């Protein structure tokens, strides 16, 4: 009888465990020249002149836990806080520098898997971009969907720099476009730990190789956006080539 | 023992009944009917199942100027039900504060079968189509977020969103999906042409219409494919460029020179009511359109290959073709009270 009780207890624990999906945390670290990235901070400089950022937003998604090219486990949705609990949600995660909490991504991962790296994309894939109205972070109220050329802005960076010969020295990069030959989605891979992964992004590395005198606004799909999208892949400090 | 059992069972039943009463009322499913002989719709109804509540919510939104910045312009301002949901009598449609746009509004019908929207295909899905006019400075000049704040302050809308989606939460996705639901019900499939095709008793083409149909199949149907009277493609139909607009059409979206001066092939259904014609509304009358195809076309690299030699018709043939085009008028659609302004 006592043994049976113990067995039931063990069974209950195991049952509970299997109902709680394993969670993997991704922390997105935002930097500028190795220092913590902040919006509206006037202490950063670019080419010897002060640079101020007013907006930084981008989509991350399609996370895959990988052991090798053959052993790939797609993540099973995001866990998002809603009220007192969490809800599972597919789709994409929007990192918005204005809200620090958006730097932390909780991924549901398959039970009992071993993996070495985490692969993901910067931006929204073409099927999702043409599937109509989306919820959560993909809701058009997030300001990341183009009304007059359907598709998501994958990466948005806005700010001011004295080299920009524009109104109020503004630069505006809204990088997106999913249709060939102007697709802008970028795929990246970083080394992963068992329960968490850091993704380090240095915005200074994005701006290297961009001449703000001549390249200061891209707001539609095309070759300019493709060039900047390729540039944006360089800002992932710990990406595996 | 049997007594306590029956007590337990009745208690369970009472609880179940209570739960039933308190459970959110499910929206009433609406079956989308595919007209006989039509292809499968392009729209994925699984992602936005139609309900009576959703359609009525979409209809209320469609006719409500709350979507515009100063609450003066609704979707229906440019898309009137009695004129095949387009803006008649203006070559270029006008929006908020009488600001004039750069194109003639398109008719809204049979959108479930369409995979691109706008004259240049700028919009890739009917769900997100409404974002374009809501945010355009010459149309409704409003922000999606502000529309949602205005709707949240309105008890009627909170109730309608709740009865449609289960909770009163108003999001961009829900707003757009409700608007899409109403527009998806705008199916025109009961014209004389449709009835003839379905061999309905007592309906037949006249000799003139029959001859017009033959001419239509010979000269027009490669682009204006039956039964939707469009191939959902883009084509340059030889319109000389209006230098006050310099509209390059589809090329602006694809950035491909091969798409220069190409515009959406519009449906010909209800063409009798959807004047003026072409992307810039340059033709007020149908005979002008036929004359254009006969000898008004300008040759260019991207001119549709089907049109290179023009469509020469005798005046008798033109009359017959027009007679056929008028059989595409669907009065049951145009004057369907379910499509009109919702009077409760």
């Amino acid at each position: 009888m006592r043994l049976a009780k113990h067995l039931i207890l063990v069974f209950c624990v195991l049952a509970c465990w299997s109902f709680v999906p394993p969670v993997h945390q991704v922390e997105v670290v935002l930097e500028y020249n190795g220092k913590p990235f902040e919006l509206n901070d006037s202490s950063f400089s670019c080419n010897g002149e002060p640079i101020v950022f007013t907006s930084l937003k981008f989509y991350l998604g399609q996370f895959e836990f990988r052991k090798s090219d053959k052993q790939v486990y797609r993540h099973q949705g995001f866990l998002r806080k809603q009220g007192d609990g969490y809800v599972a949600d597919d789709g994409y995660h929007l990192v918005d520098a204005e809200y620090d909490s958006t730097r932390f991504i909780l991924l549901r991962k398959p039970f009992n898997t071993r993996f070495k790296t985490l692969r993901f994309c910067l931006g929204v894939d073409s099927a999702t971009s043409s599937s109509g109205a989306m919820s959560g972070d993909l809701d058009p109220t997030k300001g990341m969907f183009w009304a007059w050329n359907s598709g998501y802005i994958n990466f948005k960076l806005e700010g001011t720099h004295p080299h920009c010969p524009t109104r109020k020295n503004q630069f505006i990069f809204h990088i997106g476009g999913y249709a060939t030959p102007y697709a802008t989605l970028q795929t990246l891979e970083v080394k992963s730990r068992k329960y968490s992964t850091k993704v380090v992004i240095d915005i200074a590395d994005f701006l290297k190789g961009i001449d703000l005198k001549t390249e200061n606004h891209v707001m539609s799909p095309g070759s300019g956006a493709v060039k900047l999208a390729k540039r944006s892949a360089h800002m992932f400090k710990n990406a595996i080539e | 023992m049997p007594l306590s059992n029956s007590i337990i069972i009745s208690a369970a039943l009472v609880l179940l009944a209570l739960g039933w009463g308190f459970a959110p009322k499910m929206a009433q499913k609406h079956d989308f009917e595919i007209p006989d002989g039509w292809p499968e719709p392009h729209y994925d109804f699984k992602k936005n199942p139609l309900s009576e509540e959703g359609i009525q919510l979409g209809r209320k939104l469609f006719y409500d100027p709350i979507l515009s910045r100063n609450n003066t312009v609704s979707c229906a301002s440019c898309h009137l039900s009695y004129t095949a949901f387009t803006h008649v009598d203006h070559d270029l449609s006008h929006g908020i504060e009488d600001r004039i746009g750069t194109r003639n509004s398109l008719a809204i019908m049979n959108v479930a079968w369409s995979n691109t929207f706008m004259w240049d295909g700028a919009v890739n899905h009917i769900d997100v189509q409404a974002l374009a006019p809501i945010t355009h400075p010459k149309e409704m000049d409003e922000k999606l977020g502000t529309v949602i704040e205005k709707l949240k302050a309105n008890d009627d809308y909170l109730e309608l969103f709740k009865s449609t989606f289960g909770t009163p939460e108003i999001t961009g996705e829900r707003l757009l999906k409700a608007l899409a639901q109403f527009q998806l019900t705008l199916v025109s499939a009961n014209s004389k042409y449709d009835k003839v095709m379905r061999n309905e008793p007592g309906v037949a083409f006249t000799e003139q219409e029959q001859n017009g149909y033959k001419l239509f199949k010979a000269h027009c149907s490669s682009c204006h494919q039956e039964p939707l009277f469009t191939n959902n493609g883009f084509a340059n139909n030889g319109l000389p460029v209006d230098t006050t607009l310099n509209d390059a059409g589809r090329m602006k979206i694809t950035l491909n020179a091969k798409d220069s001066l190409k515009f959406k092939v519009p449906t010909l259904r209800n063409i009798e009511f959807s004047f003026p014609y072409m992307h810039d509304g340059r033709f007020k009358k149908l005979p002008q359109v036929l004359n254009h195809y006969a000898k008004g076309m300008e040759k260019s690299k991207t001119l549709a290959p089907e049109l290179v030699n023009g469509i020469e018709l005798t005046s008798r043939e033109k009359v017959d073709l027009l007679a056929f085009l008028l059989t595409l008028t669907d009065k049951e659609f145009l004057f369907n009270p379910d499509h009109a302004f919702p009077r409760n």
Side-chain angles (χ1 to χ4, degrees):
Chain A
M1 196 60 187
R2 176 162 285 197
L3 182 71
K5 267 185 185 170
H6 277 292
L7 276 177
I8 287 168
L9 190 70
V10 167
F11 175 78
C12 283
V13 168
L14 279 176
C16 289
W17 195 6
S18 62
F19 278 122
V20 177
V23 172
H24 189 89
Q25 178 178 271
V26 178
E27 181 188 355
V28 180
V29 180
L30 298 176
E31 295 182 344
Y32 187 82
N33 270 333
K35 286 184 212 144
F37 177 94
E38 295 282 350
L39 291 179
N40 306 311
D41 184 331
S42 50
S43 69
F44 300 134
S45 69
C46 175
N47 291 324
E49 299 277 3
I51 188 164
V52 177
F53 300 98
T54 51
S55 179
L56 170 64
K57 292 183 186 189
F58 52 91
Y59 281 109
L60 298 179
Q62 301 204 352
F63 288 90
E64 280 174 4
F65 299 97
R66 296 171 74 91
K67 191 177 178 195
S68 66
D69 279 348
K70 281 184 185 157
Q71 283 169 284
V72 175
Y73 313 94
R74 192 158 156 57
H75 82 108
Q76 302 182 326
F78 301 105
L79 281 181
R80 297 186 194 281
K81 211 165 166 86
Q82 195 177 74
D84 294 331
Y86 285 89
V87 288
D89 168 19
D90 270 336
Y92 284 81
H93 180 88
L94 182 64
V95 177
D96 183 344
E98 206 174 323
Y99 304 101
D100 197 53
S101 63
T102 62
R103 293 197 298 107
F104 299 91
I105 305 167
L106 292 180
L107 298 175
R108 291 174 61 193
K109 72 179 175 198
F111 186 65
N112 201 20
T113 49
R114 289 165 193 276
F115 49 87
K116 292 173 179 164
T117 64
L118 187 64
R119 190 182 275 192
F120 57 93
C121 60
L122 169 65
V124 180
D125 69 287
S126 65
T128 306
S129 298
S130 44
S131 295
M134 298 282 163
S135 59
D137 278 6
L138 291 172
D139 191 294
T141 47
K142 299 283 179 184
M144 294 291 277
F145 192 85
W146 274 312
W148 277 89
N149 196 343
S150 296
Y152 284 93
I153 297 169
N154 293 333
F155 176 75
K156 186 185 256 195
L157 181 70
E158 298 175 7
T160 58
H161 187 268
H163 287 181
C164 298
T166 52
R167 184 174 158 266
K168 296 183 180 175
N169 300 124
Q170 283 172 342
F171 60 86
I172 301 177
F173 299 120
H174 292 181
I175 300 165
Y178 65 88
T180 46
Y182 300 116
T184 51
L185 191 83
Q186 302 293 312
T187 303
L188 298 136
E189 193 165 340
V190 298
K191 272 212 174 108
S192 176
R193 290 193 311 190
K194 198 170 179 192
Y195 297 108
S196 67
T197 300
K198 268 189 186 178
V199 175
V200 184
I201 293 174
D202 197 315
I203 297 299
D205 289 335
F206 168 70
L207 290 169
K208 269 176 206 157
I210 295 174
D211 182 2
L212 288 171
K213 279 186 194 122
T214 52
E215 292 169 281
N216 39 53
H217 61 277
V218 171
M219 290 175 285
S220 58
S223 54
V226 170
K227 188 193 158 200
L228 291 179
K230 285 180 180 159
R231 196 62 244 149
S232 68
H234 293 281
M235 66 189 185
F236 290 82
K237 296 291 275 186
N238 58 337
I240 303 164
E241 289 298 316
Chain B
M1 204 58 179
L3 183 68
S4 67
N5 262 356
S6 61
I7 288 172
I8 289 169
I9 289 170
S10 16
L13 282 175
V14 166
L15 280 173
L16 193 70
L18 277 174
W20 195 272
F22 285 114
K25 223 176 106 194
M26 293 291 283
Q28 198 191 332
K29 193 171 171 282
H30 175 96
D31 287 319
F32 184 82
E33 278 177 40
I34 301 170
D36 284 348
W38 283 34
E40 282 293 314
H42 183 78
Y43 194 81
D44 184 356
F45 288 96
K46 280 195 257 20
K47 288 183 180 158
N48 184 18
L50 300 191
S51 67
E52 300 305 332
E53 289 81 354
I55 293 164
Q56 288 313 316
L57 170 58
R59 182 181 174 196
K60 186 175 163 71
L61 289 163
F62 189 90
Y63 282 95
D64 196 337
I66 198 167
L67 299 186
S68 64
R69 171 175 48 78
N70 60 3
N71 305 319
T72 58
V73 179
S74 73
C75 304
S77 301
C78 284
H79 300 282
L80 283 85
S81 63
Y82 307 115
T83 56
F85 289 94
T86 185
H87 199 182
V88 293
D89 219 22
H90 292 270
D91 52 355
L92 305 176
S93 302
H94 60 80
I96 197 163
E97 290 157 356
D98 286 345
R99 294 177 192 173
I100 296 170
T102 57
R103 289 181 183 150
N104 181 259
S105 66
L106 276 159
I108 304 172
M109 67 187 104
N110 304 334
V111 290
W113 287 268
S114 194
N115 51 5
T116 53
F117 300 86
M118 302 298 189
W119 280 106
D120 55 9
V123 173
N124 65 14
H125 197 283
I126 186 64
D127 285 1
V128 292
Q129 200 280 337
L131 285 173
I134 289 172
T135 56
H136 195 285
K138 287 180 175 172
E139 299 193 34
M140 292 167 150
D141 197 24
E142 182 58 292
K143 292 187 176 71
L144 188 63
T146 317
V147 172
I148 288 168
E149 290 313 310
K150 287 194 273 184
L151 294 173
K152 279 181 181 169
N154 182 313
D155 288 343
D156 285 353
Y157 275 116
L158 289 172
E159 195 51 50
L160 286 166
F161 274 88
K162 188 178 169 192
S163 58
T164 301
F165 298 105
T167 61
E169 200 189 347
I170 302 181
T171 64
E173 182 204 17
R174 287 180 170 187
L175 165 70
L176 294 172
K177 283 191 166 167
L179 275 166
Q181 288 207 16
F182 171 62
Q183 293 175 82
L184 288 160
T185 65
L186 306 178
V187 175
S188 176
N190 284 317
S191 64
K192 182 175 181 182
Y193 159 84
D194 295 297
K195 291 175 183 178
V196 171
M197 291 299 128
R198 290 195 292 255
N199 292 315
E200 288 188 15
V203 193
F205 280 146
T206 64
E207 201 180 315
Q208 212 177 25
E209 289 163 353
Q210 187 65 47
N211 192 41
Y213 183 37
K214 216 190 288 171
L215 290 162
F216 169 82
K217 285 200 280 194
H219 298 293
C220 318
S221 67
S222 61
C223 289
H224 298 285
Q225 275 168 21
E226 298 170 70
L228 293 154
F229 289 86
T230 171
N231 59 2
N232 279 325
F234 301 86
N236 173 357
N237 63 349
L239 293 169
V241 174
D242 179 336
T243 53
T244 65
L245 298 167
N246 288 320
D247 193 338
R250 180 75 176 148
M251 188 176 84
K252 202 180 144 219
I253 299 303
T254 63
L255 307 174
N256 186 339
K258 284 182 185 159
D259 289 325
S260 172
L261 304 178
K262 289 186 184 175
F263 291 90
K264 190 177 177 71
V265 174
T267 179
L268 303 183
R269 288 182 169 273
N270 296 301
I271 196 169
E272 181 185 2
F273 283 80
S274 62
F275 63 96
Y277 308 107
M278 306 298 156
H279 65 275
D280 53 10
R282 67 177 70 185
F283 300 131
K284 283 201 170 82
K285 309 252 179 226
L286 281 173
Q288 292 175 297
V289 176
L290 298 190
N291 288 338
H292 163 74
Y293 285 118
K295 42 182 174 275
M297 285 187 291
E298 200 167 84
K299 291 216 165 126
S300 66
K301 277 186 190 162
T302 57
L303 180 65
E306 297 90 340
L307 296 173
V308 168
N309 297 319
I311 302 173
E312 281 292 354
L313 298 174
T314 65
S315 50
R316 170 85 185 270
E317 286 173 328
K318 281 183 191 168
V319 173
D320 291 354
L321 182 55
L322 287 175
F324 168 71
L325 291 175
L326 299 189
T327 70
L328 300 178
T329 294
D330 176 357
K331 292 208 167 140
E332 288 170 41
F333 171 77
L334 295 167
F335 304 108
N336 184 342
D338 291 341
H339 298 170
F341 184 85
R343 291 170 209 284
N344 299 320

PDB file of all heavy atoms in Angstrom, chain A residues 24-36:
ATOM      1  N   HIS A  24      13.155  28.185 -22.685  1.00  0.00           N
ATOM      2  CA  HIS A  24      14.497  28.675 -22.963  1.00  0.00           C
ATOM      3  C   HIS A  24      14.418  30.193 -23.068  1.00  0.00           C
ATOM      4  O   HIS A  24      13.577  30.717 -23.784  1.00  0.00           O
ATOM      5  CB  HIS A  24      14.987  28.081 -24.289  1.00  0.00           C
ATOM      6  CG  HIS A  24      16.433  28.347 -24.571  1.00  0.00           C
ATOM      7  ND1 HIS A  24      17.429  27.500 -24.145  1.00  0.00           N
ATOM      8  CD2 HIS A  24      17.047  29.362 -25.218  1.00  0.00           C
ATOM      9  CE1 HIS A  24      18.604  27.989 -24.530  1.00  0.00           C
ATOM     10  NE2 HIS A  24      18.395  29.114 -25.184  1.00  0.00           N
ATOM     11  N   GLN A  25      15.298  30.876 -22.332  1.00  0.00           N
ATOM     12  CA  GLN A  25      15.235  32.337 -22.389  1.00  0.00           C
ATOM     13  C   GLN A  25      16.297  32.905 -23.329  1.00  0.00           C
ATOM     14  O   GLN A  25      17.460  32.529 -23.255  1.00  0.00           O
ATOM     15  CB  GLN A  25      15.429  32.948 -21.006  1.00  0.00           C
ATOM     16  CG  GLN A  25      15.416  34.476 -21.088  1.00  0.00           C
ATOM     17  CD  GLN A  25      15.547  35.165 -19.751  1.00  0.00           C
ATOM     18  OE1 GLN A  25      14.567  35.439 -19.080  1.00  0.00           O
ATOM     19  NE2 GLN A  25      16.774  35.442 -19.370  1.00  0.00           N
ATOM     20  N   VAL A  26      15.856  33.780 -24.192  1.00  0.00           N
ATOM     21  CA  VAL A  26      16.788  34.496 -25.056  1.00  0.00           C
ATOM     22  C   VAL A  26      16.854  35.928 -24.540  1.00  0.00           C
ATOM     23  O   VAL A  26      15.812  36.578 -24.381  1.00  0.00           O
ATOM     24  CB  VAL A  26      16.318  34.495 -26.525  1.00  0.00           C
ATOM     25  CG1 VAL A  26      17.285  35.302 -27.397  1.00  0.00           C
ATOM     26  CG2 VAL A  26      16.194  33.071 -27.046  1.00  0.00           C
ATOM     27  N   GLU A  27      18.061  36.385 -24.246  1.00  0.00           N
ATOM     28  CA  GLU A  27      18.212  37.778 -23.840  1.00  0.00           C
ATOM     29  C   GLU A  27      18.881  38.536 -24.978  1.00  0.00           C
ATOM     30  O   GLU A  27      19.970  38.168 -25.426  1.00  0.00           O
ATOM     31  CB  GLU A  27      19.066  37.904 -22.570  1.00  0.00           C
ATOM     32  CG  GLU A  27      19.202  39.364 -22.146  1.00  0.00           C
ATOM     33  CD  GLU A  27      20.188  39.582 -21.001  1.00  0.00           C
ATOM     34  OE1 GLU A  27      20.712  38.606 -20.463  1.00  0.00           O
ATOM     35  OE2 GLU A  27      20.429  40.759 -20.686  1.00  0.00           O
ATOM     36  N   VAL A  28      18.219  39.568 -25.448  1.00  0.00           N
ATOM     37  CA  VAL A  28      18.799  40.403 -26.488  1.00  0.00           C
ATOM     38  C   VAL A  28      19.530  41.550 -25.799  1.00  0.00           C
ATOM     39  O   VAL A  28      18.916  42.310 -25.051  1.00  0.00           O
ATOM     40  CB  VAL A  28      17.704  40.945 -27.434  1.00  0.00           C
ATOM     41  CG1 VAL A  28      18.320  41.824 -28.513  1.00  0.00           C
ATOM     42  CG2 VAL A  28      16.924  39.793 -28.056  1.00  0.00           C
ATOM     43  N   VAL A  29      20.839  41.611 -26.012  1.00  0.00           N
ATOM     44  CA  VAL A  29      21.639  42.667 -25.395  1.00  0.00           C
ATOM     45  C   VAL A  29      21.878  43.744 -26.446  1.00  0.00           C
ATOM     46  O   VAL A  29      22.414  43.456 -27.519  1.00  0.00           O
ATOM     47  CB  VAL A  29      22.981  42.099 -24.881  1.00  0.00           C
ATOM     48  CG1 VAL A  29      23.813  43.211 -24.241  1.00  0.00           C
ATOM     49  CG2 VAL A  29      22.725  40.968 -23.900  1.00  0.00           C
ATOM     50  N   LEU A  30      21.439  44.965 -26.160  1.00  0.00           N
ATOM     51  CA  LEU A  30      21.599  46.051 -27.129  1.00  0.00           C
ATOM     52  C   LEU A  30      22.757  46.938 -26.707  1.00  0.00           C
ATOM     53  O   LEU A  30      22.804  47.409 -25.566  1.00  0.00           O
ATOM     54  CB  LEU A  30      20.302  46.875 -27.209  1.00  0.00           C
ATOM     55  CG  LEU A  30      19.061  46.115 -27.682  1.00  0.00           C
ATOM     56  CD1 LEU A  30      17.830  47.018 -27.612  1.00  0.00           C
ATOM     57  CD2 LEU A  30      19.241  45.595 -29.105  1.00  0.00           C
ATOM     58  N   GLU A  31      23.684  47.147 -27.632  1.00  0.00           N
ATOM     59  CA  GLU A  31      24.869  47.947 -27.306  1.00  0.00           C
ATOM     60  C   GLU A  31      25.117  48.993 -28.393  1.00  0.00           C
ATOM     61  O   GLU A  31      24.614  48.877 -29.510  1.00  0.00           O
ATOM     62  CB  GLU A  31      26.110  47.034 -27.239  1.00  0.00           C
ATOM     63  CG  GLU A  31      26.043  46.015 -26.121  1.00  0.00           C
ATOM     64  CD  GLU A  31      27.296  45.162 -26.043  1.00  0.00           C
ATOM     65  OE1 GLU A  31      28.078  45.155 -27.020  1.00  0.00           O
ATOM     66  OE2 GLU A  31      27.479  44.520 -24.998  1.00  0.00           O
ATOM     67  N   TYR A  32      25.902  49.996 -28.003  1.00  0.00           N
ATOM     68  CA  TYR A  32      26.454  50.910 -28.997  1.00  0.00           C
ATOM     69  C   TYR A  32      27.941  51.064 -28.679  1.00  0.00           C
ATOM     70  O   TYR A  32      28.292  51.550 -27.600  1.00  0.00           O
ATOM     71  CB  TYR A  32      25.756  52.281 -28.984  1.00  0.00           C
ATOM     72  CG  TYR A  32      26.224  53.129 -30.133  1.00  0.00           C
ATOM     73  CD1 TYR A  32      25.678  52.963 -31.402  1.00  0.00           C
ATOM     74  CD2 TYR A  32      27.262  54.033 -29.982  1.00  0.00           C
ATOM     75  CE1 TYR A  32      26.148  53.689 -32.483  1.00  0.00           C
ATOM     76  CE2 TYR A  32      27.738  54.764 -31.057  1.00  0.00           C
ATOM     77  CZ  TYR A  32      27.172  54.585 -32.315  1.00  0.00           C
ATOM     78  OH  TYR A  32      27.647  55.285 -33.391  1.00  0.00           O
ATOM     79  N   ASN A  33      28.781  50.591 -29.555  1.00  0.00           N
ATOM     80  CA  ASN A  33      30.228  50.559 -29.320  1.00  0.00           C
ATOM     81  C   ASN A  33      30.571  49.912 -27.984  1.00  0.00           C
ATOM     82  O   ASN A  33      31.395  50.415 -27.224  1.00  0.00           O
ATOM     83  CB  ASN A  33      30.810  51.980 -29.360  1.00  0.00           C
ATOM     84  CG  ASN A  33      31.225  52.347 -30.775  1.00  0.00           C
ATOM     85  OD1 ASN A  33      31.550  51.467 -31.576  1.00  0.00           O
ATOM     86  ND2 ASN A  33      31.224  53.634 -31.074  1.00  0.00           N
ATOM     87  N   GLY A  34      29.899  48.830 -27.675  1.00  0.00           N
ATOM     88  CA  GLY A  34      30.183  48.084 -26.467  1.00  0.00           C
ATOM     89  C   GLY A  34      29.515  48.606 -25.207  1.00  0.00           C
ATOM     90  O   GLY A  34      29.543  47.963 -24.172  1.00  0.00           O
ATOM     91  N   LYS A  35      28.903  49.817 -25.289  1.00  0.00           N
ATOM     92  CA  LYS A  35      28.205  50.356 -24.115  1.00  0.00           C
ATOM     93  C   LYS A  35      26.706  50.064 -24.248  1.00  0.00           C
ATOM     94  O   LYS A  35      26.208  49.929 -25.365  1.00  0.00           O
ATOM     95  CB  LYS A  35      28.398  51.877 -24.056  1.00  0.00           C
ATOM     96  CG  LYS A  35      29.781  52.295 -23.618  1.00  0.00           C
ATOM     97  CD  LYS A  35      29.820  53.819 -23.511  1.00  0.00           C
ATOM     98  CE  LYS A  35      31.183  54.347 -23.838  1.00  0.00           C
ATOM     99  NZ  LYS A  35      31.147  55.618 -24.542  1.00  0.00           N
ATOM    100  N   PRO A  36      25.994  50.014 -23.110  1.00  0.00           N
ATOM    101  CA  PRO A  36      24.554  49.739 -23.203  1.00  0.00           C
ATOM    102  C   PRO A  36      23.854  50.763 -24.101  1.00  0.00           C
ATOM    103  O   PRO A  36      24.074  51.962 -23.960  1.00  0.00           O
ATOM    104  CB  PRO A  36      24.068  49.845 -21.752  1.00  0.00           C
ATOM    105  CG  PRO A  36      25.286  49.625 -20.927  1.00  0.00           C
ATOM    106  CD  PRO A  36      26.447  50.152 -21.719  1.00  0.00           C
TER     107      PRO A  36
END
